[in-house]
């Protein structure tokens, strides 16, 4: 290796090490903020479209043209979400004491609904524990 190539290699190695150090530092700082658990949720009422999160996140699939697939995905246990009218996506959760409203929401895949429940935001995710659902 000639002297010029050696200097370039050393400079690139130094830059890579600095970049990794900054990445770990930033991840540690951000992780400290993101790792904070939500203390107590607030009761909300949100209107939007029931999503199967697998197809929505991987393919952007939603709406009436995707309804049969979404029903199948939700029936097979894929995570469920709600695309709020403002564009916010919420992960929908079952209430440990009463999962009936959550399970009812699955039947409304690709439909517009109003979800009432407790919203929490934790680890960068907004989620609603479904306490009631009605088609709108």
């Amino acid at each position: 290796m000639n002297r010029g190539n050696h200097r370039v290699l050393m400079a690139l190695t130094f830059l890579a090490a600095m970049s990794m150090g900054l990445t770990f530092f930033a991840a540690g700082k951000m992780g400290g903020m993101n790792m904070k658990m939500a203390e107590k949720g607030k009761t909300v009422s949100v209107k939007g479209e029931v999503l199967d999160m697998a197809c929505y996140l991987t393919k952007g699939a939603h709406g009436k043209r995707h309804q049969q697939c979404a029903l199948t995905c939700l029936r097979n246990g894929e995570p469920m979400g709600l695309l709020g009218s403002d564009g916010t996506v919420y992960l929908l959760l079952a209430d440990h004491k009463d999962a009936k409203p959550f399970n009812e929401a699955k039947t409304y895949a690709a439909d517009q609904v109003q979800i009432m429940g407790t919203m929490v935001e934790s680890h960068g995710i907004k989620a609603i524990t479904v306490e009631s659902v009605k088609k709108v």
Side-chain angles (χ1 to χ4, degrees):
M1 178 181 304
N2 70 33
R3 189 174 181 108
N5 288 343
H6 180 55
R7 284 186 179 161
V8 170
L9 181 60
M10 292 298 289
L12 288 174
T13 302
F14 175 76
L15 288 174
M18 290 297 293
S19 177
M20 285 177 46
L22 288 173
T23 300
F24 289 131
F25 175 78
K29 288 289 187 189
M30 288 172 46
M33 290 186 294
N34 290 338
M35 295 304 286
K36 183 179 178 189
M37 295 294 293
E39 292 177 13
K40 186 172 180 176
K42 63 179 182 176
T43 301
V44 296
S45 175
V46 181
K47 291 181 181 178
E49 178 187 341
V50 175
L51 302 170
D52 89 89
M53 296 295 286
C55 290
Y56 182 75
L57 291 174
T58 61
K59 302 172 191 167
H62 68 98
K64 290 296 185 181
R65 292 179 60 178
H66 180 255
Q67 189 168 36
Q68 287 306 310
C69 179
L71 286 165
T72 300
C73 287
L74 293 177
R75 194 172 26 247
N76 289 335
E78 292 293 350
M80 182 170 47
L82 183 74
L83 175 59
S85 55
D86 66 354
T88 302
V89 176
Y90 301 89
L91 178 65
L92 296 180
L93 307 172
D95 185 332
H96 288 110
K97 295 176 185 165
D98 182 11
K100 187 176 177 181
F102 174 82
N103 289 321
E104 180 183 353
K106 291 179 185 181
T107 67
Y108 296 125
D111 287 334
Q112 294 293 314
V113 298
Q114 181 174 3
I115 299 281
M116 291 191 63
T118 304
M119 186 190 80
V120 295
E121 186 171 355
S122 182
H123 305 287
I125 299 172
K126 290 184 178 187
I128 301 173
T129 299
V130 181
E131 295 166 7
S132 73
V133 59
K134 71 177 181 179
K135 192 171 177 179
V136 292

